[in-house]
Amino acid sequence: MASVARVAAAALVVLAGLASLATAQMESCNGELPPVLAANYSGLACQPVWNNFVLRYHQDKNNVLRVVLSTMYSTGWVGMGFSRDGLMIGSSAMVGWIGKKGLPHIRQFALRGKSSSKVVVDRGFLVSNDHDHTVVVQQAKIYLAFQLKFSYRLAHQHIIMAFGNSIPVKNKLTRHQDKTSFTFDFTTGKASVDGSFPYGLRRAHGALNVFAWGVLMPIGAILARYFRRVDPLWFYLHVGIQFVGFIIGLAGVVAGVALYSKIQADIPAHRGLGIFVLFLGILQILAFFLRPNADSKYRKYWNWYHHWAGRLALFFASVNIVLGIHVGGGDNSWKIGYGFNLAVILVAVVALEFMLWTRWSKNSTSTPTY
């Protein structure tokens, strides 16, 4: 009986917690607006949309949208963006914060890229009157209140929300701490997950190229340099692994091209390095078919070409992987995973190179060509 009583008590505690959570969510819309906003922003529809973000809104017959966005706040900035296609790049956002001197700020930003220099203040396609914007902080909550004029009546609209922990200096936004995107129906008040951004395609592009250029091909190169005594097994493994790696890498390039066609990301360094690495990879494939006999007078030149093209390909591929993880907004799992993989490869190469040079110094003979 005592055990039954304990189980019942635990169930009551869980039910009470769920009830309090539901009540807290309901109260997020039941709370009153700060008095300074009551005159111009009363009677708004209300909908919790993300984490503790609450969206209050009303659209009148003249297509003027009144918005009050509220969330918990201690410092930093809070923003709400309007996108034509669900993507960050090309959208316009209203961003508010409390400055270091305690003064409120709310400005429109044009999101022309992911770098801070391409997030441009006082630009964008949103039509508004600056005198209708207000930022208020009350009881650890920030309220962004603004009015926007549209040429049409909003229905299903792509919305982007984000926040950062650092106070903007000279209207320069720091990188967001978290973000989300969804489609909001201003006629029914329903939000749905925005499937416009091809997250799966971005993951496929990254995973395929990391596995091909960051794992398989370095292993194939290690086999060719340090395991030639296991002849001819090293050669078949080297050719097989590199060919499979190239095919997987080519699939990653195709995914990257498809991703670019969807989001038109302006990342010339990543794209340029990718094209260069692919070119070197194609040269390596051609090298297999143009490989002269071991006793040919052209063999040493082929060796130089094959070895250095391969080393350059692996070096620039690793640089481009790091760059891709950075510009793609990869989380810590990508950074730690590839960093660990790169560290293991470098340690293995250093150890195997030391052993190779030790063996060469003892034998005083050159390595065979292939």
Side-chain angles (χ1 to χ4, degrees):
M1 292 295 293
S3 61
V4 174
R6 285 195 294 269
V7 172
L12 288 174
V13 170
V14 172
L15 289 173
L18 292 174
S20 63
L21 178 60
T23 302
Q25 290 177 339
M26 291 175 59
E27 290 177 351
S28 63
C29 276
N30 292 338
E32 295 183 355
L33 290 173
V36 69
L37 301 179
N40 294 327
Y41 293 94
S42 59
L44 304 184
C46 182
Q47 180 65 42
V49 287
W50 172 57
N51 290 347
N52 51 22
F53 279 61
V54 176
L55 179 63
R56 293 175 172 86
Y57 63 95
H58 176 73
Q59 188 173 197
D60 64 20
K61 61 181 181 181
N62 296 319
N63 300 329
V64 174
L65 179 68
R66 291 184 294 156
V67 173
V68 177
L69 179 66
S70 61
T71 186
M72 302 304 295
Y73 182 80
S74 57
T75 188
W77 57 267
V78 173
M80 176 178 176
F82 293 76
S83 173
R84 295 188 174 101
D85 54 11
L87 305 180
M88 186 203 86
I89 298 176
S91 62
S92 295
M94 301 300 299
V95 181
W97 67 93
I98 300 298
K100 293 182 178 181
K101 296 182 179 180
L103 298 177
H105 301 265
I106 182 168
R107 309 289 284 271
Q108 180 179 177
F109 287 83
L111 309 182
R112 298 172 179 172
K114 293 188 175 182
S115 63
S116 179
S117 62
K118 294 188 177 180
V119 178
V120 185
V121 67
D122 295 334
R123 294 290 186 272
F125 57 76
L126 299 175
V127 179
S128 64
N129 186 338
D130 292 342
H131 299 294
D132 297 327
H133 305 337
T134 309
V135 176
V136 178
V137 172
Q138 178 177 290
Q139 296 179 351
K141 283 187 176 182
I142 189 171
Y143 297 83
L144 275 64
F146 52 89
Q147 299 185 31
L148 303 174
K149 179 71 168 67
F150 291 88
S151 59
Y152 54 91
R153 187 164 186 81
L154 288 185
H156 293 84
Q157 173 63 44
H158 297 296
I159 298 294
I160 300 170
M161 290 188 177
F163 65 91
N165 286 339
S166 299
I167 297 174
V169 177
K170 296 182 179 180
N171 298 317
K172 292 291 185 180
L173 297 185
T174 55
R175 182 176 177 83
H176 53 70
Q177 183 182 4
D178 201 0
K179 67 181 186 307
T180 190
S181 63
F182 54 88
T183 299
F184 190 80
D185 190 340
F186 282 94
T187 59
T188 65
K190 293 182 179 180
S192 59
V193 176
D194 199 333
S196 297
F197 189 88
Y199 292 101
L201 194 58
R202 183 177 67 180
R203 283 193 297 270
H205 171 64
L208 288 170
N209 282 301
V210 168
F211 184 60
W213 295 99
V215 179
L216 286 181
M217 290 195 181
I219 291 175
I222 287 172
L223 288 172
R225 180 164 178 80
Y226 303 112
F227 293 91
R228 297 184 196 176
R229 290 186 298 176
V230 189
D231 193 45
L233 181 60
W234 73 266
F235 177 75
Y236 295 121
L237 287 176
H238 171 68
V239 171
I241 290 174
Q242 300 304 76
F243 182 75
V244 171
F246 178 79
I247 295 300
I248 295 175
L250 188 61
V253 171
V254 172
V257 172
L259 181 64
Y260 177 77
S261 68
K262 285 181 176 293
I263 66 175
Q264 295 295 310
D266 185 20
I267 314 173
H270 182 60
R271 187 168 63 252
L273 278 175
I275 294 171
F276 180 60
V277 170
L278 177 63
F279 171 73
L280 292 175
I282 293 173
L283 288 181
Q284 293 296 79
I285 295 297
L286 292 176
F288 173 75
F289 296 101
L290 299 176
R291 178 170 171 260
N293 294 326
D295 57 353
S296 171
K297 64 179 181 179
Y298 300 107
R299 185 57 179 264
K300 67 177 182 179
Y301 303 108
W302 182 92
N303 284 337
W304 293 341
Y305 146 69
H306 183 56
H307 294 170
W308 284 106
R311 290 164 184 165
L312 286 173
L314 292 179
F315 172 76
F316 285 109
S318 63
V319 172
N320 209 28
I321 289 173
V322 173
L323 180 60
I325 292 173
H326 174 70
V327 299
D331 57 23
N332 287 334
S333 62
W334 285 85
K335 299 173 184 176
I336 295 173
Y338 182 66
F340 178 77
N341 171 78
L342 191 60
V344 169
I345 290 174
L346 290 176
V347 170
V349 167
V350 170
L352 290 170
E353 189 71 18
F354 175 77
M355 294 169 61
L356 181 65
W357 279 95
T358 301
R359 188 167 67 249
W360 284 355
S361 63
K362 291 180 179 179
N363 297 335
S364 299
T365 58
S366 61
T367 59
T369 58
Y370 63 96

